[in-house]
Amino acid sequence: MSSPWFFVTLLTLIAIVSPTPLAEARAFFVFGDSLVDNGNNNYLATTARADSPPYGIDYPTHRPTGRFSNGLNLPDIISEQIGSEPTLPYLSPDLRGRKLLIGANFASAGVGILNDTGVQFVNIIRMFRQFEYFQEYQRRVTKIVGQQQAQRLVNQALVLITLGGNDFVNNYFLVPFSARSRQFSLPDFCRYLISEYRKILLRLHELGGRRVLVTTTGPLGCVPAELAMRSRNGECVPEVQRAAAIFNPLLVQLIQQLNSQLGSTVFISANAFSMNMDFITNPQRFGSMLWARTLQWTWIMYQIVEPVPQPRRLRLLGQFSPE
């Protein structure tokens, strides 16, 4: 599922897309998994939920919102930076009328590039369904502003898509000798994911996406759940880290190829791995947000909450060892 490391570098990540004039964005659309889901799964009968503490402890209401975060998540921060209201989950009954013109969040925790990723969560919005909802969204907007304006709104919007992590942690590495790990070596699996991601990104372009921010995976071996299950010394899990190290350069290469094929810079890659590893290895660079101590993960769900004084930043959930 989601990793707290990701949220440390939100503002840095946004800076990557600064060459694109964000002020022109008239809508914001979000696709992907738990890193960017802001509540869709609350409306589903699924085990992939963020509707109980400690989720939401730093949100303005201090209550869980369906975001897989202690507070604001990446789409929220991007909305702030472009001077817009946060997008609502597409399944929210509040997303109607003029609210539709702000955009929509179609993401669903647990999904992956592959349709068989996240089957253990039972009922999630897989990518083909997210795109069906996007088409439905466009029909709804057309009824409000007309077809020409609706198409312009979609083409000029900023789009964020975050996928890939679950295909590893909730599929390939989910259990020893998983079906996918028996089918593919890790490098072959990464290449297979890229071939499937290519179809997803091209479909997004077909549906009108013209300014699309694509995040690489973060340091998957450092995700707290992976540390809890696989790490013996508190260090990031090498084999899971290797997955990200193979997958991410292939994704960047894919984005370059697609832009060349389309004759335009439609897709922009954001290197979430390097930024997050920088935080993990050099936390002092981030204003002493966290103590530079070794983390000991004793349960998959975290043991304590360690507050951080800087607003809208990370609370690390885990147990700190003595200095």
Side-chain angles (χ1 to χ4, degrees), residues 191-209:
R191 285 188 284 270
Y192 175 58
L193 287 180
I194 291 297
S195 69
E196 294 300 302
Y197 208 172
R198 180 187 185 90
K199 299 173 186 177
I200 289 172
L201 294 177
L202 285 174
R203 180 58 177 154
L204 185 52
H205 180 263
E206 289 176 0
L207 293 176

Side-chain angles (χ1 to χ4, degrees), residues 1-4 7 34-35 37 42 47-73 109 224-225 300-302 305 315 317:
M1 301 291 286
S2 62
S3 166
F7 300 106
S34 62
L35 289 172
D37 181 359
N42 275 1
T47 58
R49 307 181 68 84
D51 56 355
S52 60
Y55 296 117
I57 56 177
D58 293 317
Y59 196 75
T61 62
H62 305 294
R63 296 179 179 178
T65 63
R67 292 165 174 80
F68 287 73
S69 170
N70 52 285
L72 302 181
N73 66 5
I300 293 177
M301 294 306 292
Y302 320 114
V305 175
R315 283 182 186 236
L317 309 180

Side-chain angles (χ1 to χ4, degrees), residues 245-266:
I246 297 172
F247 175 82
N248 287 337
L250 292 175
L251 178 57
V252 173
Q253 184 179 17
L254 169 64
I255 289 171
Q256 293 170 343
Q257 292 171 349
L258 289 176
N259 286 336
S260 177
Q261 174 183 331
L262 296 171
S264 177
T265 305
V266 173

